[in-house]
Amino acid sequence: MSNDRFEWTVKGDETVRGGFKRTAAEAWTIAGKRAAAQLKTSIDSATITVDGDTISVTKATLNREIAAKVKASK
C-alpha cells in the first residue's frame, strides 16, 4: 500500500472504472459513487477494490458497506 495514493477500481458486468486518490477514505468514497452509478443499470452487484481490499456490493448494501470502509480508513 502506497503512503501517498490509493488505487481504486469498480467492476460491474463489463464496465471497469478506476483511479487514484490521496487517502483511503477518498478512494472508498469515489468508488462508492461510481458503483452507485453502475448499480442504477440492470446489474445486480459491483465489486469495489481499494488498495487490495475488495468488497462486493448490491444496491441494498452499497451505502452501509462504503460508510463502514470510510470510517475504518480514518
Side-chain angles (χ1 to χ4, degrees):
M1 180 166 66
S2 174
N3 290 332
D4 60 352
R5 66 184 194 166
F6 292 81
E7 183 176 13
W8 63 271
T9 59
V10 177
K11 296 178 184 177
D13 284 342
E14 295 181 13
T15 306
V16 177
R17 301 271 186 212
F20 294 91
K21 287 293 183 180
R22 295 184 59 84
T23 68
E26 289 175 348
W28 283 113
T29 300
I30 192 66
K33 289 178 181 179
R34 297 291 189 243
Q38 288 188 19
L39 289 169
K40 287 181 181 178
T41 66
S42 61
I43 67 169
D44 294 329
S45 66
T47 302
I48 301 172
T49 303
V50 172
D51 266 13
D53 187 5
T54 302
I55 61 173
S56 182
V57 297
T58 64
K59 289 177 187 177
T61 64
L62 175 64
N63 291 337
R64 181 179 68 243
E65 294 284 342
I66 293 299
K69 290 296 186 181
V70 168
K71 183 177 180 180
S73 66
K74 288 187 176 182

Short mmCIF file of all heavy atoms in Angstrom, two decimals:
data_model
loop_
_atom_site.label_atom_id
_atom_site.label_comp_id
_atom_site.label_asym_id
_atom_site.label_seq_id
_atom_site.Cartn_x
_atom_site.Cartn_y
_atom_site.Cartn_z
N MET A 1 0.84 -1.18 0.00
CA MET A 1 0.00 0.00 0.00
C MET A 1 0.88 1.24 0.00
O MET A 1 1.80 1.36 0.78
CB MET A 1 -0.91 -0.03 1.22
CG MET A 1 -1.83 1.15 1.32
SD MET A 1 -3.16 0.92 2.53
CE MET A 1 -2.25 0.85 4.04
N SER A 2 0.60 2.14 -0.87
CA SER A 2 1.35 3.37 -1.01
C SER A 2 0.95 4.37 0.08
O SER A 2 -0.20 4.42 0.48
CB SER A 2 1.07 3.97 -2.38
OG SER A 2 1.67 5.23 -2.48
N ASN A 3 1.91 5.16 0.53
CA ASN A 3 1.62 6.16 1.56
C ASN A 3 1.00 7.42 0.99
O ASN A 3 0.44 8.21 1.73
CB ASN A 3 2.90 6.52 2.31
CG ASN A 3 3.38 5.40 3.18
OD1 ASN A 3 2.58 4.58 3.64
ND2 ASN A 3 4.67 5.33 3.42
N ASP A 4 1.13 7.65 -0.32
CA ASP A 4 0.66 8.92 -0.86
C ASP A 4 -0.47 8.80 -1.86
O ASP A 4 -0.97 9.80 -2.34
CB ASP A 4 1.82 9.69 -1.48
CG ASP A 4 2.50 8.92 -2.60
OD1 ASP A 4 2.18 7.74 -2.81
OD2 ASP A 4 3.34 9.52 -3.28
N ARG A 5 -0.89 7.59 -2.20
CA ARG A 5 -2.04 7.43 -3.08
C ARG A 5 -2.64 6.04 -2.95
O ARG A 5 -1.95 5.08 -2.65
CB ARG A 5 -1.70 7.73 -4.53
CG ARG A 5 -0.73 6.77 -5.15
CD ARG A 5 -0.41 7.22 -6.54
NE ARG A 5 0.25 6.13 -7.25
CZ ARG A 5 0.43 6.10 -8.52
NH1 ARG A 5 0.01 7.09 -9.28
NH2 ARG A 5 1.03 5.10 -9.09
N PHE A 6 -3.94 5.98 -3.15
CA PHE A 6 -4.68 4.74 -3.01
C PHE A 6 -5.39 4.45 -4.31
O PHE A 6 -6.16 5.27 -4.81
CB PHE A 6 -5.70 4.86 -1.87
CG PHE A 6 -5.05 4.97 -0.52
CD1 PHE A 6 -4.55 6.18 -0.07
CD2 PHE A 6 -4.93 3.85 0.28
CE1 PHE A 6 -3.94 6.29 1.16
CE2 PHE A 6 -4.31 3.94 1.52
CZ PHE A 6 -3.82 5.16 1.96
N GLU A 7 -5.14 3.27 -4.87
CA GLU A 7 -5.78 2.88 -6.11
C GLU A 7 -7.16 2.30 -5.83
O GLU A 7 -7.34 1.53 -4.89
CB GLU A 7 -4.94 1.84 -6.84
CG GLU A 7 -5.51 1.45 -8.18
CD GLU A 7 -4.63 0.49 -8.94
OE1 GLU A 7 -3.70 -0.09 -8.35
OE2 GLU A 7 -4.90 0.31 -10.13
N TRP A 8 -8.14 2.69 -6.66
CA TRP A 8 -9.49 2.16 -6.52
C TRP A 8 -9.98 1.67 -7.87
O TRP A 8 -9.60 2.22 -8.90
CB TRP A 8 -10.45 3.20 -5.94
CG TRP A 8 -10.63 4.41 -6.82
CD1 TRP A 8 -9.87 5.55 -6.80
CD2 TRP A 8 -11.60 4.59 -7.84
NE1 TRP A 8 -10.31 6.42 -7.76
CE2 TRP A 8 -11.38 5.86 -8.42
CE3 TRP A 8 -12.63 3.81 -8.35
CZ2 TRP A 8 -12.15 6.36 -9.45
CZ3 TRP A 8 -13.40 4.32 -9.38
CH2 TRP A 8 -13.17 5.57 -9.92
N THR A 9 -10.79 0.60 -7.85
CA THR A 9 -11.45 0.12 -9.06
C THR A 9 -12.86 -0.32 -8.71
O THR A 9 -13.14 -0.77 -7.60
CB THR A 9 -10.73 -1.08 -9.72
OG1 THR A 9 -10.65 -2.14 -8.78
CG2 THR A 9 -9.34 -0.71 -10.18
N VAL A 10 -13.74 -0.17 -9.68
CA VAL A 10 -15.12 -0.63 -9.57
C VAL A 10 -15.41 -1.46 -10.81
O VAL A 10 -15.20 -0.99 -11.92
CB VAL A 10 -16.12 0.55 -9.49
CG1 VAL A 10 -17.56 0.02 -9.46
CG2 VAL A 10 -15.85 1.39 -8.26
N LYS A 11 -15.85 -2.70 -10.59
CA LYS A 11 -16.16 -3.57 -11.72
C LYS A 11 -17.62 -3.96 -11.67
O LYS A 11 -18.11 -4.46 -10.66
CB LYS A 11 -15.30 -4.83 -11.66
CG LYS A 11 -13.83 -4.56 -11.80
CD LYS A 11 -13.01 -5.83 -11.71
CE LYS A 11 -11.53 -5.48 -11.76
NZ LYS A 11 -10.70 -6.67 -11.59
N GLY A 12 -18.30 -3.72 -12.78
CA GLY A 12 -19.68 -4.16 -12.95
C GLY A 12 -19.68 -5.33 -13.91
O GLY A 12 -18.72 -6.09 -13.95
N ASP A 13 -20.73 -5.50 -14.69
CA ASP A 13 -20.78 -6.59 -15.66
C ASP A 13 -19.60 -6.53 -16.63
O ASP A 13 -18.81 -7.45 -16.72
CB ASP A 13 -22.09 -6.55 -16.45
CG ASP A 13 -23.26 -7.06 -15.64
OD1 ASP A 13 -23.02 -7.74 -14.62
OD2 ASP A 13 -24.40 -6.77 -16.01
N GLU A 14 -19.51 -5.46 -17.38
CA GLU A 14 -18.43 -5.31 -18.34
C GLU A 14 -17.69 -3.99 -18.17
O GLU A 14 -16.73 -3.72 -18.86
CB GLU A 14 -18.98 -5.40 -19.77
CG GLU A 14 -19.56 -6.75 -20.09
CD GLU A 14 -20.09 -6.83 -21.52
OE1 GLU A 14 -19.79 -5.93 -22.32
OE2 GLU A 14 -20.79 -7.79 -21.82
N THR A 15 -18.15 -3.17 -17.26
CA THR A 15 -17.59 -1.85 -17.06
C THR A 15 -16.57 -1.87 -15.92
O THR A 15 -16.83 -2.42 -14.86
CB THR A 15 -18.69 -0.83 -16.72
OG1 THR A 15 -19.69 -0.90 -17.73
CG2 THR A 15 -18.15 0.57 -16.63
N VAL A 16 -15.43 -1.26 -16.16
CA VAL A 16 -14.42 -1.11 -15.12
C VAL A 16 -14.03 0.36 -15.05
O VAL A 16 -13.72 0.97 -16.06
CB VAL A 16 -13.17 -1.97 -15.41
CG1 VAL A 16 -12.11 -1.75 -14.34
CG2 VAL A 16 -13.53 -3.44 -15.53
N ARG A 17 -14.09 0.91 -13.87
CA ARG A 17 -13.65 2.29 -13.64
C ARG A 17 -12.57 2.24 -12.57
O ARG A 17 -12.58 1.37 -11.70
CB ARG A 17 -14.80 3.16 -13.11
CG ARG A 17 -15.98 3.23 -14.02
CD ARG A 17 -15.81 4.36 -14.97
NE ARG A 17 -17.04 4.52 -15.75
CZ ARG A 17 -17.05 4.92 -16.98
NH1 ARG A 17 -15.94 5.22 -17.59
NH2 ARG A 17 -18.19 5.05 -17.62
N GLY A 18 -11.68 3.20 -12.59
CA GLY A 18 -10.63 3.21 -11.58
C GLY A 18 -9.87 4.51 -11.57
O GLY A 18 -10.05 5.37 -12.44
N GLY A 19 -9.01 4.62 -10.58
CA GLY A 19 -8.19 5.81 -10.46
C GLY A 19 -7.41 5.78 -9.17
O GLY A 19 -7.27 4.73 -8.53
N PHE A 20 -6.91 6.94 -8.78
CA PHE A 20 -6.11 7.08 -7.58
C PHE A 20 -6.61 8.26 -6.77
O PHE A 20 -7.03 9.27 -7.33
CB PHE A 20 -4.63 7.31 -7.93
CG PHE A 20 -4.00 6.13 -8.60
CD1 PHE A 20 -4.01 6.03 -9.98
CD2 PHE A 20 -3.40 5.13 -7.86
CE1 PHE A 20 -3.42 4.95 -10.62
CE2 PHE A 20 -2.82 4.04 -8.49
CZ PHE A 20 -2.83 3.95 -9.87
N LYS A 21 -6.56 8.13 -5.45
CA LYS A 21 -6.89 9.23 -4.54
C LYS A 21 -5.81 9.30 -3.47
O LYS A 21 -5.08 8.34 -3.22
CB LYS A 21 -8.26 9.03 -3.88
CG LYS A 21 -9.43 9.25 -4.81
CD LYS A 21 -9.50 10.70 -5.21
CE LYS A 21 -10.68 11.01 -6.09
NZ LYS A 21 -10.75 12.41 -6.46
N ARG A 22 -5.73 10.44 -2.80
CA ARG A 22 -4.67 10.65 -1.81
C ARG A 22 -4.91 9.93 -0.48
O ARG A 22 -3.96 9.67 0.25
CB ARG A 22 -4.47 12.14 -1.57
CG ARG A 22 -3.95 12.85 -2.82
CD ARG A 22 -3.65 14.31 -2.59
NE ARG A 22 -2.67 14.55 -1.54
CZ ARG A 22 -1.35 14.52 -1.72
NH1 ARG A 22 -0.86 14.23 -2.90
NH2 ARG A 22 -0.53 14.78 -0.73
N THR A 23 -6.16 9.64 -0.15
CA THR A 23 -6.44 8.91 1.09
C THR A 23 -7.36 7.73 0.79
O THR A 23 -8.08 7.71 -0.21
CB THR A 23 -7.14 9.80 2.14
OG1 THR A 23 -8.45 10.13 1.68
CG2 THR A 23 -6.34 11.08 2.41
N ALA A 24 -7.34 6.76 1.69
CA ALA A 24 -8.22 5.60 1.53
C ALA A 24 -9.68 6.03 1.62
O ALA A 24 -10.52 5.52 0.87
CB ALA A 24 -7.89 4.54 2.58
N ALA A 25 -9.99 6.96 2.52
CA ALA A 25 -11.37 7.42 2.66
C ALA A 25 -11.87 8.06 1.36
O ALA A 25 -13.00 7.80 0.93
CB ALA A 25 -11.48 8.42 3.82
N GLU A 26 -11.03 8.86 0.72
CA GLU A 26 -11.41 9.46 -0.57
C GLU A 26 -11.61 8.38 -1.63
O GLU A 26 -12.52 8.47 -2.45
CB GLU A 26 -10.34 10.45 -1.04
CG GLU A 26 -10.27 11.72 -0.24
CD GLU A 26 -9.11 12.61 -0.68
OE1 GLU A 26 -8.23 12.15 -1.44
OE2 GLU A 26 -9.09 13.78 -0.26
N ALA A 27 -10.73 7.38 -1.64
CA ALA A 27 -10.84 6.31 -2.62
C ALA A 27 -12.12 5.51 -2.44
O ALA A 27 -12.83 5.21 -3.41
CB ALA A 27 -9.62 5.39 -2.53
N TRP A 28 -12.47 5.16 -1.19
CA TRP A 28 -13.72 4.43 -0.94
C TRP A 28 -14.92 5.28 -1.32
O TRP A 28 -15.89 4.78 -1.89
CB TRP A 28 -13.82 4.00 0.54
CG TRP A 28 -12.98 2.81 0.87
CD1 TRP A 28 -11.89 2.78 1.68
CD2 TRP A 28 -13.15 1.48 0.39
NE1 TRP A 28 -11.37 1.52 1.72
CE2 TRP A 28 -12.13 0.70 0.95
CE3 TRP A 28 -14.07 0.86 -0.46
CZ2 TRP A 28 -12.00 -0.67 0.69
CZ3 TRP A 28 -13.94 -0.50 -0.72
CH2 TRP A 28 -12.93 -1.25 -0.15
N THR A 29 -14.86 6.57 -1.05
CA THR A 29 -15.98 7.47 -1.36
C THR A 29 -16.23 7.55 -2.86
O THR A 29 -17.35 7.39 -3.33
CB THR A 29 -15.73 8.87 -0.77
OG1 THR A 29 -15.61 8.74 0.66
CG2 THR A 29 -16.87 9.81 -1.09
N ILE A 30 -15.18 7.80 -3.64
CA ILE A 30 -15.37 7.92 -5.09
C ILE A 30 -15.75 6.58 -5.70
O ILE A 30 -16.58 6.51 -6.60
CB ILE A 30 -14.13 8.54 -5.79
CG1 ILE A 30 -14.46 8.92 -7.23
CG2 ILE A 30 -12.94 7.62 -5.76
CD1 ILE A 30 -15.45 10.02 -7.41
N ALA A 31 -15.18 5.50 -5.19
CA ALA A 31 -15.54 4.17 -5.69
C ALA A 31 -17.01 3.88 -5.40
O ALA A 31 -17.71 3.30 -6.24
CB ALA A 31 -14.64 3.11 -5.06
N GLY A 32 -17.50 4.31 -4.24
CA GLY A 32 -18.90 4.12 -3.92
C GLY A 32 -19.81 4.90 -4.86
O GLY A 32 -20.86 4.40 -5.28
N LYS A 33 -19.39 6.11 -5.21
CA LYS A 33 -20.18 6.91 -6.15
C LYS A 33 -20.21 6.27 -7.53
O LYS A 33 -21.25 6.24 -8.19
CB LYS A 33 -19.61 8.33 -6.23
CG LYS A 33 -19.86 9.14 -4.98
CD LYS A 33 -19.25 10.51 -5.08
CE LYS A 33 -19.50 11.29 -3.79
NZ LYS A 33 -18.91 12.63 -3.84
N ARG A 34 -19.08 5.76 -7.98
CA ARG A 34 -19.02 5.10 -9.29
C ARG A 34 -19.85 3.81 -9.27
O ARG A 34 -20.54 3.50 -10.23
CB ARG A 34 -17.58 4.78 -9.69
CG ARG A 34 -16.72 6.00 -9.86
CD ARG A 34 -17.14 6.81 -11.07
NE ARG A 34 -16.18 7.85 -11.33
CZ ARG A 34 -16.43 9.13 -11.28
NH1 ARG A 34 -17.63 9.55 -10.97
NH2 ARG A 34 -15.51 10.02 -11.53
N ALA A 35 -19.79 3.07 -8.18
CA ALA A 35 -20.58 1.84 -8.07
C ALA A 35 -22.07 2.16 -8.08
O ALA A 35 -22.86 1.45 -8.71
CB ALA A 35 -20.21 1.08 -6.81
N ALA A 36 -22.47 3.22 -7.39
CA ALA A 36 -23.88 3.62 -7.36
C ALA A 36 -24.38 3.91 -8.76
O ALA A 36 -25.49 3.51 -9.13
CB ALA A 36 -24.07 4.84 -6.46
N ALA A 37 -23.56 4.57 -9.56
CA ALA A 37 -23.95 4.87 -10.94
C ALA A 37 -24.12 3.58 -11.75
O ALA A 37 -25.06 3.45 -12.54
CB ALA A 37 -22.92 5.77 -11.59
N GLN A 38 -23.23 2.63 -11.54
CA GLN A 38 -23.33 1.36 -12.26
C GLN A 38 -24.54 0.54 -11.79
O GLN A 38 -25.18 -0.13 -12.58
CB GLN A 38 -22.06 0.54 -12.10
CG GLN A 38 -20.90 1.11 -12.87
CD GLN A 38 -19.70 0.20 -12.86
OE1 GLN A 38 -19.80 -0.99 -12.58
NE2 GLN A 38 -18.54 0.76 -13.16
N LEU A 39 -24.84 0.61 -10.49
CA LEU A 39 -25.95 -0.16 -9.95
C LEU A 39 -27.31 0.39 -10.37
O LEU A 39 -28.32 -0.26 -10.19
CB LEU A 39 -25.85 -0.24 -8.43
CG LEU A 39 -24.72 -1.12 -7.91
CD1 LEU A 39 -24.54 -0.92 -6.41
CD2 LEU A 39 -24.96 -2.58 -8.23
N LYS A 40 -27.34 1.60 -10.94
CA LYS A 40 -28.60 2.15 -11.46
C LYS A 40 -29.02 1.43 -12.74
O LYS A 40 -30.17 1.51 -13.14
CB LYS A 40 -28.46 3.65 -11.72
CG LYS A 40 -28.43 4.47 -10.46
CD LYS A 40 -28.33 5.94 -10.78
CE LYS A 40 -28.27 6.76 -9.50
NZ LYS A 40 -28.13 8.19 -9.78
N THR A 41 -28.07 0.76 -13.36
CA THR A 41 -28.39 0.00 -14.57
C THR A 41 -28.94 -1.36 -14.15
O THR A 41 -29.34 -1.55 -13.01
CB THR A 41 -27.13 -0.17 -15.45
OG1 THR A 41 -26.19 -0.98 -14.76
CG2 THR A 41 -26.51 1.18 -15.79
N SER A 42 -28.92 -2.30 -15.03
CA SER A 42 -29.53 -3.60 -14.74
C SER A 42 -28.63 -4.57 -13.98
O SER A 42 -29.05 -5.68 -13.69
CB SER A 42 -29.96 -4.26 -16.06
OG SER A 42 -28.83 -4.47 -16.88
N ILE A 43 -27.40 -4.16 -13.65
CA ILE A 43 -26.53 -5.10 -12.95
C ILE A 43 -26.99 -5.28 -11.51
O ILE A 43 -27.57 -4.38 -10.91
CB ILE A 43 -25.05 -4.68 -13.00
CG1 ILE A 43 -24.79 -3.39 -12.22
CG2 ILE A 43 -24.56 -4.56 -14.43
CD1 ILE A 43 -23.33 -3.07 -12.03
N ASP A 44 -26.72 -6.46 -10.97
CA ASP A 44 -27.15 -6.78 -9.61
C ASP A 44 -26.13 -6.42 -8.55
O ASP A 44 -26.49 -6.14 -7.41
CB ASP A 44 -27.46 -8.28 -9.49
CG ASP A 44 -28.66 -8.69 -10.33
OD1 ASP A 44 -29.57 -7.85 -10.53
OD2 ASP A 44 -28.67 -9.84 -10.79
N SER A 45 -24.85 -6.46 -8.92
CA SER A 45 -23.81 -6.18 -7.94
C SER A 45 -22.59 -5.59 -8.62
O SER A 45 -22.44 -5.67 -9.84
CB SER A 45 -23.42 -7.45 -7.18
OG SER A 45 -22.80 -8.37 -8.06
N ALA A 46 -21.73 -5.01 -7.80
CA ALA A 46 -20.47 -4.44 -8.28
C ALA A 46 -19.39 -4.84 -7.30
O ALA A 46 -19.65 -5.03 -6.11
CB ALA A 46 -20.56 -2.93 -8.39
N THR A 47 -18.18 -4.95 -7.80
CA THR A 47 -17.03 -5.27 -6.96
C THR A 47 -16.16 -4.02 -6.85
O THR A 47 -15.81 -3.42 -7.86
CB THR A 47 -16.22 -6.42 -7.56
OG1 THR A 47 -17.07 -7.56 -7.70
CG2 THR A 47 -15.05 -6.79 -6.68
N ILE A 48 -15.84 -3.66 -5.62
CA ILE A 48 -15.04 -2.46 -5.36
C ILE A 48 -13.74 -2.90 -4.70
O ILE A 48 -13.78 -3.66 -3.73
CB ILE A 48 -15.78 -1.48 -4.44
CG1 ILE A 48 -17.11 -1.06 -5.06
CG2 ILE A 48 -14.90 -0.28 -4.11
CD1 ILE A 48 -17.99 -0.25 -4.12
N THR A 49 -12.63 -2.39 -5.21
CA THR A 49 -11.33 -2.69 -4.63
C THR A 49 -10.59 -1.39 -4.36
O THR A 49 -10.52 -0.53 -5.23
CB THR A 49 -10.48 -3.56 -5.57
OG1 THR A 49 -11.20 -4.77 -5.87
CG2 THR A 49 -9.15 -3.93 -4.95
N VAL A 50 -10.07 -1.26 -3.15
CA VAL A 50 -9.21 -0.13 -2.80
C VAL A 50 -7.95 -0.71 -2.18
O VAL A 50 -8.00 -1.37 -1.15
CB VAL A 50 -9.89 0.85 -1.82
CG1 VAL A 50 -8.90 1.90 -1.33
CG2 VAL A 50 -11.10 1.50 -2.46
N ASP A 51 -6.83 -0.50 -2.86
CA ASP A 51 -5.52 -1.00 -2.43
C ASP A 51 -5.56 -2.46 -1.97
O ASP A 51 -5.05 -2.80 -0.91
CB ASP A 51 -4.94 -0.11 -1.33
CG ASP A 51 -4.02 0.95 -1.91
OD1 ASP A 51 -4.03 1.16 -3.13
OD2 ASP A 51 -3.28 1.57 -1.12
N GLY A 52 -6.18 -3.31 -2.75
CA GLY A 52 -6.19 -4.74 -2.48
C GLY A 52 -7.31 -5.23 -1.59
O GLY A 52 -7.50 -6.43 -1.43
N ASP A 53 -8.06 -4.33 -0.98
CA ASP A 53 -9.20 -4.69 -0.13
C ASP A 53 -10.45 -4.68 -1.00
O ASP A 53 -10.86 -3.62 -1.49
CB ASP A 53 -9.32 -3.70 1.03
CG ASP A 53 -10.38 -4.09 2.04
OD1 ASP A 53 -10.97 -5.19 1.93
OD2 ASP A 53 -10.62 -3.28 2.96
N THR A 54 -11.07 -5.84 -1.19
CA THR A 54 -12.19 -5.98 -2.13
C THR A 54 -13.49 -6.30 -1.41
O THR A 54 -13.50 -7.14 -0.51
CB THR A 54 -11.89 -7.09 -3.15
OG1 THR A 54 -10.67 -6.76 -3.84
CG2 THR A 54 -13.00 -7.24 -4.16
N ILE A 55 -14.56 -5.61 -1.84
CA ILE A 55 -15.90 -5.91 -1.34
C ILE A 55 -16.84 -6.04 -2.54
O ILE A 55 -16.60 -5.46 -3.59
CB ILE A 55 -16.43 -4.85 -0.36
CG1 ILE A 55 -16.52 -3.47 -1.03
CG2 ILE A 55 -15.60 -4.82 0.91
CD1 ILE A 55 -17.19 -2.40 -0.16
N SER A 56 -17.89 -6.81 -2.37
CA SER A 56 -18.94 -6.91 -3.38
C SER A 56 -20.19 -6.28 -2.79
O SER A 56 -20.55 -6.57 -1.64
CB SER A 56 -19.19 -8.38 -3.72
OG SER A 56 -20.17 -8.49 -4.73
N VAL A 57 -20.82 -5.40 -3.56
CA VAL A 57 -21.97 -4.67 -3.05
C VAL A 57 -23.16 -4.80 -3.99
O VAL A 57 -23.01 -5.05 -5.18
CB VAL A 57 -21.66 -3.16 -2.85
CG1 VAL A 57 -20.58 -2.97 -1.80
CG2 VAL A 57 -21.25 -2.50 -4.15
N THR A 58 -24.34 -4.62 -3.43
CA THR A 58 -25.59 -4.54 -4.19
C THR A 58 -26.18 -3.16 -3.92
O THR A 58 -25.66 -2.41 -3.08
CB THR A 58 -26.58 -5.62 -3.75
OG1 THR A 58 -26.94 -5.37 -2.39
CG2 THR A 58 -26.00 -7.02 -3.89
N LYS A 59 -27.28 -2.85 -4.55
CA LYS A 59 -27.95 -1.58 -4.28
C LYS A 59 -28.31 -1.46 -2.81
O LYS A 59 -28.19 -0.40 -2.20
CB LYS A 59 -29.22 -1.45 -5.12
CG LYS A 59 -28.97 -1.26 -6.59
CD LYS A 59 -30.28 -1.21 -7.36
CE LYS A 59 -30.03 -1.19 -8.85
NZ LYS A 59 -31.26 -1.22 -9.63
N ALA A 60 -28.74 -2.57 -2.22
CA ALA A 60 -29.17 -2.56 -0.83
C ALA A 60 -28.02 -2.41 0.16
O ALA A 60 -28.20 -1.87 1.25
CB ALA A 60 -29.95 -3.84 -0.52
N THR A 61 -26.83 -2.87 -0.18
CA THR A 61 -25.71 -2.86 0.77
C THR A 61 -24.67 -1.78 0.51
O THR A 61 -23.79 -1.58 1.34
CB THR A 61 -25.00 -4.22 0.80
OG1 THR A 61 -24.40 -4.47 -0.49
CG2 THR A 61 -25.95 -5.35 1.15
N LEU A 62 -24.75 -1.10 -0.61
CA LEU A 62 -23.71 -0.16 -1.01
C LEU A 62 -23.41 0.90 0.04
O LEU A 62 -22.28 1.04 0.49
CB LEU A 62 -24.07 0.52 -2.34
CG LEU A 62 -23.11 1.61 -2.81
CD1 LEU A 62 -21.74 1.03 -3.10
CD2 LEU A 62 -23.67 2.33 -4.01
N ASN A 63 -24.41 1.65 0.46
CA ASN A 63 -24.18 2.76 1.40
C ASN A 63 -23.60 2.28 2.72
O ASN A 63 -22.68 2.89 3.26
CB ASN A 63 -25.47 3.54 1.63
CG ASN A 63 -25.88 4.32 0.40
OD1 ASN A 63 -25.07 4.64 -0.45
ND2 ASN A 63 -27.16 4.60 0.29
N ARG A 64 -24.12 1.19 3.25
CA ARG A 64 -23.64 0.65 4.52
C ARG A 64 -22.18 0.19 4.41
O ARG A 64 -21.35 0.49 5.27
CB ARG A 64 -24.53 -0.50 4.97
CG ARG A 64 -24.12 -1.10 6.30
CD ARG A 64 -25.04 -2.23 6.75
NE ARG A 64 -24.89 -3.39 5.88
CZ ARG A 64 -25.85 -3.91 5.11
NH1 ARG A 64 -27.05 -3.38 5.12
NH2 ARG A 64 -25.64 -4.96 4.37
N GLU A 65 -21.86 -0.54 3.34
CA GLU A 65 -20.51 -1.05 3.15
C GLU A 65 -19.49 0.08 2.97
O GLU A 65 -18.41 0.05 3.56
CB GLU A 65 -20.46 -1.98 1.94
CG GLU A 65 -21.25 -3.25 2.10
CD GLU A 65 -20.56 -4.27 2.98
OE1 GLU A 65 -19.34 -4.17 3.21
OE2 GLU A 65 -21.25 -5.20 3.42
N ILE A 66 -19.83 1.07 2.15
CA ILE A 66 -18.92 2.19 1.92
C ILE A 66 -18.73 3.00 3.20
O ILE A 66 -17.60 3.38 3.54
CB ILE A 66 -19.41 3.08 0.76
CG1 ILE A 66 -19.33 2.31 -0.56
CG2 ILE A 66 -18.60 4.38 0.68
CD1 ILE A 66 -17.94 1.85 -0.96
N ALA A 67 -19.80 3.26 3.93
CA ALA A 67 -19.69 4.01 5.19
C ALA A 67 -18.76 3.28 6.17
O ALA A 67 -17.93 3.93 6.83
CB ALA A 67 -21.07 4.21 5.81
N ALA A 68 -18.86 1.98 6.25
CA ALA A 68 -18.01 1.21 7.15
C ALA A 68 -16.54 1.29 6.72
O ALA A 68 -15.64 1.43 7.56
CB ALA A 68 -18.46 -0.25 7.20
N LYS A 69 -16.28 1.22 5.42
CA LYS A 69 -14.90 1.29 4.92
C LYS A 69 -14.31 2.68 5.11
O LYS A 69 -13.15 2.81 5.47
CB LYS A 69 -14.86 0.88 3.45
CG LYS A 69 -15.11 -0.58 3.21
CD LYS A 69 -14.03 -1.42 3.84
CE LYS A 69 -14.18 -2.88 3.49
NZ LYS A 69 -13.15 -3.71 4.12
N VAL A 70 -15.10 3.72 4.87
CA VAL A 70 -14.61 5.08 5.08
C VAL A 70 -14.29 5.29 6.55
O VAL A 70 -13.23 5.82 6.90
CB VAL A 70 -15.64 6.12 4.57
CG1 VAL A 70 -15.27 7.53 5.04
CG2 VAL A 70 -15.75 6.07 3.06
N LYS A 71 -15.17 4.86 7.44
CA LYS A 71 -14.94 5.02 8.87
C LYS A 71 -13.70 4.26 9.33
O LYS A 71 -12.89 4.78 10.09
CB LYS A 71 -16.18 4.52 9.65
CG LYS A 71 -16.06 4.72 11.14
CD LYS A 71 -17.32 4.29 11.86
CE LYS A 71 -17.17 4.50 13.34
NZ LYS A 71 -18.37 4.08 14.07
N ALA A 72 -13.53 3.05 8.83
CA ALA A 72 -12.37 2.23 9.22
C ALA A 72 -11.06 2.79 8.70
O ALA A 72 -10.00 2.56 9.28
CB ALA A 72 -12.56 0.81 8.72
N SER A 73 -11.12 3.54 7.60
CA SER A 73 -9.88 4.04 6.99
C SER A 73 -9.42 5.38 7.57
O SER A 73 -8.33 5.84 7.25
CB SER A 73 -10.05 4.18 5.49
OG SER A 73 -10.99 5.18 5.17
N LYS A 74 -10.21 5.98 8.42
CA LYS A 74 -9.81 7.28 9.01
C LYS A 74 -8.97 7.08 10.23
O LYS A 74 -8.93 6.12 10.88
CB LYS A 74 -11.05 8.10 9.34
CG LYS A 74 -11.72 8.61 8.10
CD LYS A 74 -12.83 9.55 8.44
CE LYS A 74 -13.42 10.11 7.14
NZ LYS A 74 -14.45 11.07 7.38
#
